[in-house]
Amino acid sequence: MKLNIEGLLVYFPYDYIYPEQYSYMLELKRTLDAKGHGVLEMPSGTGKTISLLSLIVAYQREYPLEVTKLIYCSRTVPEIEKVVEELRKLMEFYSKETGEKNNILALALSSRKNLCVHPEVSSLRFGKEVDGKCHSLTASYIRAQRHSNPSLPSCRFYEEFDAMGKQVPLPAGVYNLDDLKDFGRRKGWCPYYLARYSILHANIIVYSYHYLLDPKIADLVSKELSKKSVVVFDEAHNIDNVCIDSMSVNITRRTLDRSQANVETLQNTILKIKETDAAKLKEEYRRLVEGLKEANVARETDIYMSNPVLPDEILQEAVPGSIRTAEHFVGFMKRFLEYLKARLRIHHVVQESAPQFLKDIFEKVCIDRKPLRFCAERLRSLLRTLEIADIADFSAITLISNFATLVSTYSKGFTIIIEPFEDRTPTIANPVLHFSCMDPSIAIKPVFERFQSVIITSGTLSPLDIYPRILDFRPVTVASFTMTLARTCLCPLVVGRGNDQVAMTSKFETREDFAVIRNYGNLLLEMSAIVPDGIVAFFTSYTYMENIVASWYEQGILENVQRNKLIFIETPDAAETSMALEKYQEACENGRGAILLSVARGKVSEGIDFVHHFGRAVIMFGVPYVYTQSRILKARLEYLRDQFQIRENDFLTFDAMRHAAQCVGRAIRGKTDYGLMIFADKRYARADKRGKLPRWIQEHLTDGSLNLTIDETVQLSKHFLRQMAHSIHDISNCNVQCFCQLNLSQEDQLGLSLLTLEQLQSEDMLQKIAQIAHQA
Amino acid sequence: MAALSEEVLLVVKRVRQRKQDGTLYLMAERIAWGPEGKDRFTVSHLYADIRCQKISPDGKAKIQLQLVLHTGESTNLHFSNESTALKDRDAAKDLLQQLLPKFKKRANKELEEKNRMLQEDPVLFQLYKDLVVCQVISAEEFWANRLSINNVDHSLSNNKQEVGISAAFLADIRPQTDGCNGLRYNLTSDIIESIFRTYPAVKQKYGENVPHNMTEKEFWTRFFQSHYFHRDRINTGLQDIFSECAKQDEKGLKSMVFQGVKNPMVDLLSLEDKSLDEGYGSNSTAPSTSNTNKTVKENSNSAIIKRFNHHSTMVLAAGSGKKADAPNGQACETSSTDGNSRDSDFFQPPIKKALTLYDGTESQTVCFLSKRNVIEYEDLHRENGKKTVALNLKKSDSVLSGSALCTASCAIAALSPGGVLMQALAQQAINQMVPNDVQGELKHLYTAAGELLRHFWSCFPVNTLFLEEKVVKMRSNLERFQMTKLRPFQEKVQRQYLSTNLTGHLEDMFQMAYNKFHAWQTRRMMRKT
């Protein structure tokens, strides 16, 4: 249907629309109009993706000079693929309606591992191996060497692409990863480099966060993207952690040892080159004197996005003399390594700020701040000059140099913690230096500064006001949308007590209590008897789950659960968990029913959807607080308090609740889905916890469903499940991204949670829609 | 003693029952006990009737075996031979253990088979209603010959549905303390099968060791003692035969993990587009989680988790995988029926040929069991075929269900010129004179009567006690049928169509049977006196 969103003609590729989608588009349009940033929360399964895409594409067509590009960032590869498929649908609709072939180029970009078509390289299993191998075939100096020695191996796909691919741009259309590979195979071009090259002129790019947030990758891939882009971060509830992760560094003894080896290799190579090709080193020296002028010019002329690892100041200066020659630099690095080694030789925990660290290093080994800042850039230059093929081998020394640059660049927002051993095993020395970023805004700052509109959206962003604060930006729109439902398809329940009236809680003091564990077990057992197909249960941490599973096993609870369903358990090993997951789905599929025991903050809770019968109930055992004894966390909490005036408890609760919401939200992936959400901890009943749940869950959490006993929960669940089982009708084509087999019939939803164009145009409906958006 | 012709598998002397000394016999199909000095059994149970056996605990002074029947009754057997009592009991128990499951399955299978036959064959169902539901003959008699016929062709299309495995089968082995520091595990054949299907490695071990190296009991004792069964599989000793199983399981799990998953949506490895390089990130303290800095407890905990995953996977695989090695023991297990069929080879049931008479309108089927009779009839046919044109005889190899049985003489009588059938044929086509519902009723009567007569005639020659009893019973059955079914029909017909004698032929057949019975009885009386 064609919509009129405040004067903008939007093509929407479905015949029906959810009221909240309309409302979402309204807010989005206002954000784009204002050229500002936005924070929008809308439950998963209500068609966020298609709303975003259709509005932004329409905007792009209407105002081609205002918005030139859409950068859509998602988290996982399957999600990226899903976005591309939605986009394809939209484009087909466009060409059908307008009758003309549209000239929009949209493509997905992923790592080499997912895009490589080279027969040998692509067969490697790990991404790092693929990258390294690719590099050893395609690096510029390798190719230069090949001129003199043609017997060296090469990648014909890259050669072909380099020779031909850049002349003709990729034809307009929608390309997912497989399309790119097909195209690459057909033409004999490398799909990865083709995609990387094509994103510069593509209208829509879909890739993962890291390409924009991780400075190491962003510098390679995304720095030349146009300023007039709209950036969308989907599933952004964890974006602060992604930012922090990309800027934090851990250094262990092993890292140092490997760096030591790297330095030695460098030294030998330098000696060798000096004998054979001294001119090369001189040339490098000259370049370094001139400084990083080129980069500076590019950034000033607004071609490059800034890189937090490459701060502005160093662009204007030449590389300091003390590290300009190769030998001096290697010597410098050696000294730095020795210093770090000495620092790791400690018996008690040390925590200090970056300036303290710099002061100490100056006093002890006379290393100045200035050369440290150039470390990363200087090493890169050296590696280039020495023509070292396999960069992957030098990851350790690269890590050290990045650390050097970061620690000397940022005096705020980072902390250094040196721990001599892990807390759990105080007898085993395993010193680690954590250089930990506490301020997520550092990594994301270039994005907000460079691009005109950044949209942060997810199914769970509550409380909305906290994201602008921790990411340090000023949004023009902040809104939360609920899910309009023809039937109440979610049933959140807070179980606070066992049948013996003992409080159920994962509070630290009582979590190992026998009664608590037993009650948790009884809850699982009771639910396993009444819930059909799949149940997913989340624990607060892996160790806690291990302990509980062990004591359930001893008490014979698991045996009884097994009478009802099969049990699968997440393990720290991703491959094993994948297998367990697949078997879990198989068991749900063949009607046997299964239980998946999993961990909040784990991979399962973040990336796997349990649609329909794969998750008819989610049980959240306890409140998933982060491990509060960690020093890194303590430092971060302190920083948040001092810098952003966010109280520790507020942040911890916010963090716990967003993970809890993520976990329970796994089961509801659309309006036709239904599921129980069981919060098994009495603390959820408190207003400060409840209030931090997303609005679409909170709405259904009545006073009657708080602080229940197990028996009451079972009764309510039975009632709910029976009700849900009734109202399932035939198939309808609704516009949720995942097409569902069991659907409410359209008539049931029409007018309430599903609208036709006529209904949309009616006056009172528009009024209703206006209420859906909840301005924070 | 008739039962002695059965195969006796085991004889145990000095077994007491109700404080009486006697001998216990385990035969191919039943277990029996007779008091000492007498040559008959006072206790006799078919294996199929036995629900389970129970034995007295090892420590007890009295060494007993209890048989619990499906009816709930039970029989206690006390092994009283002091020196060998335990051995005797165990021998009996072991044999029973092997035999009972076989019969249990057969009982269920038979029931299913009967049900299926009735559902598939409406004529048979009608017959069943006429004869069994109205209590003319007992269900057992009704099925006596049918099943064995059909068993043959159904074992070919052995489409037995496979039974899944309960996930909690290990939990069902509830260990019980026996009061003196020991544990007792109750194993049933179902559980053993579940264990084998879920853990092929154990099955393999079983095949290797039982019975060459150890007895079955010893094997299972070791199994339960083994760490393999218990939770922490880490500390499996080397001398333990199951340590290898644990390793095999581990290997199997690893290979499954290595194969990876097919569904990309659940593949956690490829979920992340670009993982952080080593050394970056806030809480990844370098994956140095080698086993050394894990405590023993943690290790055993993660072993439990692994085991659960493995167990569930195996149960799932055992339930869904269509294994090629389907139990083929069932195929050759075509049970022979009760004693009479073996003895009366003259009337061996397999029907090779049948003759069908068509008269164009109503089809009457007469089928002959004995080969000899068929030949006779064929001769007759050749003669008759030349003379009478009206009679259209057609030979067919197929057995028509619900076929009526009568002896050749009876058929000849009926078919000879002037016989009942010929009369009917000579007159006008029967369907023009008799309404359809009466025709239908007549058909039912014919099939029912035929079935009864078949039972009756199959008793001859009467050479066992059982057959004697049966023939007497069948005669009374015939009489009862005549009284309750045939008479009312006759009256009804006579009220409406005085002229036609529809049931004459039926009555003749009955009369023939009575004559035969009478002749046999007088002969027997003569012999006795």
Side-chain angles (χ1 to χ4, degrees):
Chain A
M1 66 167 97
K2 287 179 223 169
L3 302 168
N4 177 1
I5 309 277
E6 289 187 344
L8 178 72
L9 176 69
V10 174
Y11 286 81
F12 192 76
Y14 297 95
D15 295 337
Y16 304 94
I17 185 168
Y18 295 148
E20 56 268 36
Q21 285 180 316
Y22 184 81
S23 178
Y24 188 90
M25 286 198 246
L26 277 179
E27 293 295 332
L28 190 59
K29 161 101 178 5
R30 286 170 196 160
T31 318
L32 295 187
D33 281 341
K35 290 193 172 50
H37 311 312
V39 179
L40 303 171
E41 178 187 54
M42 185 156 88
S44 45
T46 49
K48 266 194 307 288
T49 311
I50 192 63
S51 315
L52 276 164
L53 290 175
S54 34
L55 188 104
I56 296 175
V57 168
Y59 205 91
Q60 231 174 327
R61 284 167 63 95
E62 187 73 26
Y63 311 103
L65 294 177
E66 301 287 315
V67 172
T68 56
K69 202 187 276 287
L70 163 63
I71 305 170
Y72 197 108
C73 302
S74 199
R75 254 184 342 176
T76 62
V77 178
E79 273 163 15
I80 289 171
E81 299 269 24
K82 268 194 258 174
V83 174
V84 178
E85 287 322 301
E86 288 283 305
L87 194 59
R88 196 191 301 282
K89 218 176 271 170
L90 179 66
M91 288 307 159
E92 275 162 15
F93 184 71
Y94 259 104
S95 48
K96 203 180 96 194
E97 288 293 309
T98 55
E100 60 198 51
K101 214 178 160 295
N102 54 55
N103 48 2
I104 281 183
L105 173 64
L107 60 97
L109 175 63
S110 180
S111 58
R112 289 182 178 87
K113 183 175 169 268
N114 295 325
L115 278 175
C116 184
V117 289
H118 190 278
E120 281 164 42
V121 180
S122 59
S123 64
L124 293 168
R125 219 171 157 212
F126 296 102
K128 216 181 273 177
E129 291 170 359
V130 177
D131 288 352
K133 186 85 183 156
C134 179
H135 204 264
S136 71
L137 291 175
T138 59
S140 55
Y141 41 84
I142 301 270
R143 298 177 60 231
Q145 277 172 19
R146 208 173 295 123
H147 286 301
S148 52
N149 180 10
S151 66
L152 286 171
S154 70
C155 172
R156 64 188 166 91
F157 294 100
Y158 182 79
E159 297 300 330
E160 275 294 302
F161 167 72
D162 197 52
M164 318 281 290
K166 288 183 180 168
Q167 293 155 9
V168 193
L170 197 62
V174 181
Y175 297 87
N176 66 17
L177 299 179
D178 282 336
D179 296 338
L180 282 170
K181 273 167 137 176
D182 283 347
F183 185 81
R185 278 207 196 91
R186 226 172 31 240
K187 293 264 182 185
W189 296 347
C190 171
Y192 174 72
Y193 282 99
L194 178 69
R196 258 181 64 175
Y197 175 72
S198 301
I199 60 171
L200 296 179
H201 59 263
N203 304 84
I204 299 166
I205 314 166
V206 186
Y207 58 25
S208 78
Y209 288 2
H210 301 284
Y211 290 93
L212 217 48
L213 291 181
D214 190 334
K216 300 177 288 296
I217 312 172
D219 198 42
L220 289 172
V221 178
S222 309
K223 68 177 174 186
E224 289 174 66
L225 294 182
S226 149
K227 204 171 152 47
K228 286 181 178 173
S229 303
V230 176
V231 179
V232 174
F233 287 107
D234 197 358
E235 305 286 329
H237 46 269
N238 242 348
I239 196 165
D240 53 326
N241 289 334
V242 177
C243 294
I244 283 176
D245 279 354
S246 68
M247 299 290 280
S248 298
V249 174
N250 301 302
I251 297 171
T252 60
R253 242 188 217 149
R254 199 161 136 257
T255 329
L256 292 180
D257 290 344
R258 283 174 53 207
S259 310
Q260 192 78 40
N262 288 344
V263 169
E264 243 118 72
T265 327
L266 285 178
Q267 202 165 18
N268 294 338
T269 328
I270 290 169
L271 279 177
K272 235 184 274 165
I273 286 193
K274 229 176 174 180
E275 285 163 12
T276 56
D277 194 1
K280 205 186 258 172
L281 288 174
K282 279 202 186 109
E283 161 63 21
E284 188 203 18
Y285 186 87
R286 191 192 56 74
R287 232 181 24 233
L288 292 175
V289 175
E290 278 179 19
L292 305 160
K293 272 192 194 129
E294 279 166 50
N296 189 28
V297 170
R299 193 176 285 180
E300 271 173 3
T301 51
D302 211 32
I303 297 168
Y304 286 178
M305 182 168 83
S306 62
N307 180 351
V309 188
L310 195 68
D312 280 336
E313 298 94 85
I314 70 167
L315 294 178
Q316 287 145 23
E317 296 171 42
V319 174
S322 56
I323 57 170
R324 220 174 278 162
T325 65
E327 296 104 319
H328 286 172
F329 177 63
V330 169
F332 175 85
M333 284 310 280
K334 266 188 176 165
R335 207 145 32 109
F336 186 57
L337 281 176
E338 282 309 319
Y339 171 75
L340 288 177
K341 265 188 199 162
R343 288 305 302 265
L344 284 184
R345 246 175 263 129
I346 47 157
H347 299 288
H348 53 94
V349 179
V350 175
Q351 180 174 1
E352 59 189 19
S353 65
Q356 278 172 315
F357 181 84
L358 289 176
K359 185 161 167 268
D360 190 60
I361 197 171
F362 182 71
E363 280 169 2
K364 293 245 173 73
V365 287
C366 291
I367 288 182
D368 216 355
R369 177 166 172 247
K370 201 172 165 194
L372 270 182
R373 295 178 72 180
F374 285 88
C375 254
E377 202 50 40
R378 180 69 189 87
L379 180 71
R380 205 175 305 166
S381 159
L382 185 65
L383 289 177
R384 243 188 337 248
T385 316
L386 297 183
E387 302 183 347
I388 286 161
D390 201 354
I391 295 261
D393 278 352
F394 285 86
S395 61
I397 191 77
T398 320
L399 179 79
I400 299 288
S401 70
N402 276 339
F403 164 66
T405 303
L406 284 171
V407 78
S408 49
T409 307
Y410 295 97
S411 55
K412 251 175 58 178
F414 288 86
T415 188
I416 294 164
I417 294 167
I418 309 172
E419 285 177 325
F421 45 74
E422 279 175 52
D423 274 343
R424 281 185 301 156
T425 52
T427 47
I428 302 156
N430 180 25
V432 187
L433 185 149
H434 301 284
F435 178 66
S436 166
C437 175
M438 296 181 297
D439 191 348
S441 66
I442 293 173
I444 205 171
K445 201 172 182 185
V447 178
F448 281 121
E449 278 176 355
R450 178 163 177 87
F451 300 109
Q452 68 179 27
S453 280
V454 177
I455 312 292
I456 293 195
T457 187
S458 172
T460 50
L461 281 177
S462 294
L464 290 169
D465 56 329
I466 207 154
Y467 283 91
R469 277 159 82 189
I470 57 177
L471 296 179
D472 194 25
F473 71 105
R474 205 156 284 152
V476 291
T477 42
V478 177
S480 168
F481 306 87
T482 59
M483 179 148 48
T484 51
L485 291 171
R487 57 166 187 176
T488 327
C489 70
L490 57 148
C491 177
L493 299 170
V494 176
V495 195
R497 297 163 289 151
N499 290 334
D500 49 6
Q501 302 301 326
V502 177
M504 265 205 271
T505 173
S506 68
K507 212 154 67 177
F508 186 73
E509 299 82 53
T510 56
R511 61 163 54 174
E512 300 298 334
D513 193 342
F514 196 72
V516 172
I517 294 177
R518 191 189 56 227
N519 276 333
Y520 275 161
N522 285 338
L523 176 65
L524 185 71
L525 181 58
E526 298 281 334
M527 295 315 287
S528 76
I530 60 160
V531 176
D533 298 324
I535 300 179
V536 193
F538 290 99
F539 293 85
T540 52
S541 75
Y542 192 76
T543 9
Y544 188 50
M545 179 171 82
E546 266 190 349
N547 287 339
I548 285 204
V549 166
S551 56
W552 280 353
Y553 179 84
E554 273 155 18
Q555 293 171 31
I557 290 173
L558 287 182
E559 287 179 359
N560 289 324
V561 172
Q562 274 185 324
R563 282 177 214 282
N564 301 326
K565 287 179 192 306
L566 292 176
I567 299 176
F568 293 97
I569 307 172
E570 182 178 355
T571 67
D573 182 292
E576 252 178 74
T577 311
S578 307
M579 194 198 70
L581 260 173
E582 194 181 51
K583 296 292 169 194
Y584 167 80
Q585 295 202 340
E586 197 183 317
C588 293
E589 202 72 76
N590 75 9
R592 184 149 199 149
I595 292 179
L596 183 73
L597 302 181
S598 179
V599 177
R601 297 164 194 280
K603 282 209 163 103
V604 172
S605 72
E606 286 293 324
I608 306 293
D609 289 348
F610 297 98
V611 285
H612 294 292
H613 58 291
F614 293 139
R616 282 296 177 220
V618 183
I619 307 175
M620 183 73 236
F621 290 115
V623 184
Y625 279 112
V626 64
Y627 175 61
T628 45
Q629 298 306 303
S630 135
R631 292 188 183 81
I632 300 173
L633 181 77
K634 279 182 179 158
R636 187 172 171 204
L637 290 176
E638 232 163 75
Y639 184 81
L640 285 173
R641 192 188 57 208
D642 296 345
Q643 294 298 314
F644 301 119
Q645 286 77 48
I646 297 170
R647 277 186 303 158
E648 282 125 333
N649 253 334
D650 282 351
F651 182 78
L652 285 176
T653 314
F654 149 75
D655 185 62
M657 293 315 282
R658 72 170 161 182
H659 280 106
Q662 261 307 300
C663 290
V664 297
R666 293 284 117 198
I668 306 280
R669 307 315 280 181
K671 293 191 176 186
T672 54
D673 206 348
Y674 66 88
L676 287 159
M677 301 173 162
I678 295 170
F679 298 93
D681 193 310
K682 65 166 187 177
R683 290 175 288 174
Y684 284 111
R686 283 194 218 146
D688 66 319
K689 306 279 187 311
R690 253 167 82 194
K692 289 197 168 69
L693 283 173
R695 205 172 136 226
W696 57 277
I697 297 179
Q698 242 183 86
E699 270 183 347
H700 300 282
L701 198 62
T702 56
D703 285 342
S705 50
L706 296 177
N707 202 19
L708 306 166
T709 65
I710 293 175
D711 272 351
E712 287 163 349
T713 314
V714 169
Q715 285 313 314
L716 286 171
S717 310
K718 269 186 183 165
H719 180 72
F720 170 76
L721 289 169
R722 211 173 300 136
Q723 237 179 359
M724 286 299 111
H726 275 303
S727 52
I728 281 174
H729 293 291
D730 219 0
I731 291 171
S732 70
N733 64 330
C734 68
N735 57 9
V736 195
Q737 50 180 353
C738 58
F739 191 78
C740 341
Q741 302 99 339
L742 299 173
N743 268 341
L744 293 169
S745 77
Q746 280 180 347
E747 294 82 66
D748 289 352
Q749 296 194 350
L750 222 54
L752 274 171
S753 59
L754 200 62
L755 303 175
T756 59
L757 192 56
E758 295 79 54
Q759 282 168 328
L760 193 60
Q761 279 155 351
S762 72
E763 201 49 45
D764 58 326
M765 188 51 78
L766 287 177
Q767 250 169 17
K768 256 191 221 163
I769 287 171
Q771 290 163 7
I772 290 170
H774 171 85
Q775 305 285 341
Chain B
M1 200 198 237
L4 273 185
S5 58
E6 291 176 63
E7 192 188 350
V8 178
L9 302 172
L10 183 73
V11 181
V12 186
K13 293 219 166 101
R14 301 198 59 184
V15 177
R16 312 186 86 186
Q17 205 260 334
R18 300 233 167 113
K19 308 233 160 108
Q20 229 182 337
D21 268 322
T23 313
L24 181 73
Y25 297 89
L26 272 86
M27 276 155 301
E29 305 221 319
R30 58 181 182 144
I31 184 169
W33 179 88
E36 208 151 308
K38 303 229 175 84
D39 59 347
R40 64 189 172 76
F41 299 137
T42 51
V43 176
S44 168
H45 300 303
L46 287 176
Y47 292 135
D49 293 338
I50 299 173
R51 191 171 63 197
C52 64
Q53 58 165 339
K54 289 180 176 173
I55 52 170
S56 54
D58 279 347
K60 279 271 179 67
K62 264 189 179 176
I63 293 164
Q64 287 183 316
L65 180 87
Q66 188 183 45
L67 303 171
V68 183
L69 304 186
H70 285 297
T71 51
E73 296 166 45
S74 67
T75 310
N76 283 323
L77 297 164
H78 177 197
F79 294 80
S80 54
N81 192 349
E82 277 145 43
S83 54
T84 60
L86 195 64
K87 220 174 71 198
D88 287 348
R89 200 269 316 268
D90 285 348
K93 184 204 77 181
D94 288 341
L95 190 58
L96 269 180
Q97 208 164 33
Q98 287 170 23
L99 290 169
L100 286 183
K102 254 195 258 171
F103 283 89
K104 197 187 263 174
K105 255 180 233 153
R106 190 195 289 174
N108 289 335
K109 226 176 69 187
E110 269 178 20
L111 206 64
E112 259 174 48
E113 182 74 1
K114 285 173 187 172
N115 224 335
R116 195 189 55 77
M117 279 170 69
L118 286 182
Q119 272 170 7
E120 281 175 6
D121 191 343
V123 181
L124 191 69
F125 187 54
Q126 181 63 39
L127 195 62
Y128 187 82
K129 275 201 289 193
D130 285 344
L131 296 179
V132 181
V133 180
C134 301
Q135 294 189 328
V136 177
I137 59 172
S138 72
E140 216 173 306
E141 280 168 327
F142 179 78
W143 290 113
N145 288 342
R146 271 175 203 292
L147 269 187
S148 58
I149 300 168
N150 288 298
N151 251 359
V152 183
D153 45 15
H154 278 290
S155 55
L156 294 175
S157 61
N158 186 5
N159 50 0
K160 180 166 91 87
Q161 191 179 12
E162 228 173 276
V163 186
I165 295 176
S166 158
F169 69 81
L170 281 179
D172 286 333
I173 320 166
R174 295 225 155 272
Q176 293 165 340
T177 46
D178 60 356
C180 46
N181 265 344
L183 278 176
R184 255 182 49 200
Y185 292 97
N186 295 322
L187 265 181
T188 67
S189 59
D190 283 348
I191 293 177
I192 292 176
E193 204 198 316
S194 298
I195 293 175
F196 282 165
R197 278 170 68 186
T198 318
Y199 299 109
V202 176
K203 186 174 187 175
Q204 196 191 332
K205 280 280 159 219
Y206 182 85
E208 282 169 16
N209 289 310
V210 181
H212 331 299
N213 295 343
M214 55 183 84
T215 64
E216 194 177 359
K217 185 179 172 185
E218 208 177 331
F219 179 83
W220 290 116
T221 314
R222 287 228 200 155
F223 177 76
F224 289 121
Q225 280 167 351
S226 155
H227 287 287
Y228 186 69
F229 177 64
H230 293 288
R231 56 179 225 164
D232 34 6
R233 278 192 188 172
I234 326 152
N235 304 322
T236 41
L238 278 176
Q239 78 288 353
D240 194 337
I241 58 164
F242 292 105
S243 60
E244 210 175 299
C245 295
K247 270 181 213 133
Q248 265 182 15
D249 283 354
E250 190 94 331
K251 238 203 293 188
L253 193 65
K254 276 220 180 93
S255 75
M256 268 194 286
V257 168
F258 186 76
Q259 276 168 11
V261 292
K262 288 178 212 90
N263 185 354
M265 299 299 283
V266 296
D267 192 355
L268 294 170
L269 287 174
S270 66
L271 212 54
E272 288 283 317
D273 187 27
K274 187 95 185 179
S275 58
L276 288 166
D277 287 340
E278 197 183 324
Y280 297 96
S282 55
N283 44 12
S284 60
T285 42
S288 64
T289 43
S290 56
N291 283 332
T292 44
N293 49 12
K294 265 191 169 177
T295 61
V296 178
K297 181 142 174 23
E298 277 169 344
N299 253 339
S300 84
N301 283 356
S302 62
I304 295 176
I305 286 176
K306 261 200 185 137
R307 255 197 67 196
F308 268 108
N309 280 340
H310 180 246
H311 178 82
S312 300
T313 312
M314 292 309 288
V315 168
L316 197 62
S320 61
K322 283 274 168 284
K323 287 282 163 63
D325 54 290
N328 45 13
Q330 311 291 338
C332 50
E333 198 191 303
T334 54
S335 63
S336 64
T337 45
D338 43 8
N340 64 353
S341 67
R342 186 165 38 209
D343 297 321
S344 60
D345 55 339
F346 183 71
F347 282 106
Q348 197 70 1
I351 304 159
K352 295 283 182 261
K353 277 182 182 169
L355 289 174
T356 320
L357 298 168
Y358 286 99
D359 64 358
T361 51
E362 166 110 75
S363 80
Q364 292 271 355
T365 56
V366 186
C367 126
F368 299 87
L369 273 186
S370 148
K371 224 173 182 168
R372 202 171 46 192
N373 290 346
V374 173
I375 296 161
E376 268 178 32
Y377 187 78
E378 274 173 34
D379 293 336
L380 174 92
H381 163 213
R382 249 172 257 135
E383 285 169 17
N384 270 0
K386 288 170 196 157
K387 288 178 195 163
T388 56
V389 195
L391 194 66
N392 185 10
L393 285 163
K394 199 181 170 196
K395 218 160 97 184
S396 118
D397 279 347
S398 68
V399 181
L400 289 188
S401 54
S403 54
L405 168 123
C406 73
T407 59
S409 57
C410 146
I412 293 164
L415 283 166
S416 334
V420 194
L421 270 178
M422 300 322 277
Q423 246 174 38
L425 286 165
Q427 287 165 2
Q428 280 172 0
I430 200 164
N431 63 339
Q432 285 170 9
M433 306 177 55
V434 183
N436 276 335
D437 60 321
V438 180
Q439 275 185 44
E441 215 175 319
L442 184 66
K443 255 190 245 176
H444 286 315
L445 278 176
Y446 257 102
T447 44
E451 177 69 18
L452 279 176
L453 285 165
R454 189 172 69 83
H455 276 284
F456 175 79
W457 287 109
S458 72
C459 298
F460 291 95
V462 187
N463 48 14
T464 66
L465 199 64
F466 178 82
L467 283 177
E468 246 172 66
E469 281 166 19
K470 186 175 173 182
V471 82
V472 175
K473 209 165 57 197
M474 284 323 294
R475 194 199 120 93
S476 65
N477 282 344
L478 283 173
E479 275 175 346
R480 195 154 7 122
F481 182 81
Q482 214 176 0
M483 291 307 291
T484 54
K485 294 267 172 176
L486 200 56
R487 279 284 146 72
F489 180 74
Q490 270 173 333
E491 278 159 22
K492 188 177 152 196
V493 171
Q494 270 164 9
R495 250 182 283 128
Q496 292 170 12
Y497 322 97
L498 287 166
S499 58
T500 40
N501 181 14
L502 286 173
T503 54
H505 174 242
L506 270 175
E507 292 208 317
D508 280 354
M509 289 203 293
F510 276 101
Q511 199 51 52
M512 196 81 77
Y514 295 153
N515 288 346
K516 174 78 182 170
F517 181 77
H518 187 71
W520 170 73
Q521 212 169 23
T522 44
R523 208 154 6 115
R524 196 173 63 138
M525 297 302 265
M526 272 164 65
R527 225 185 314 159
K528 268 193 182 169
T529 51

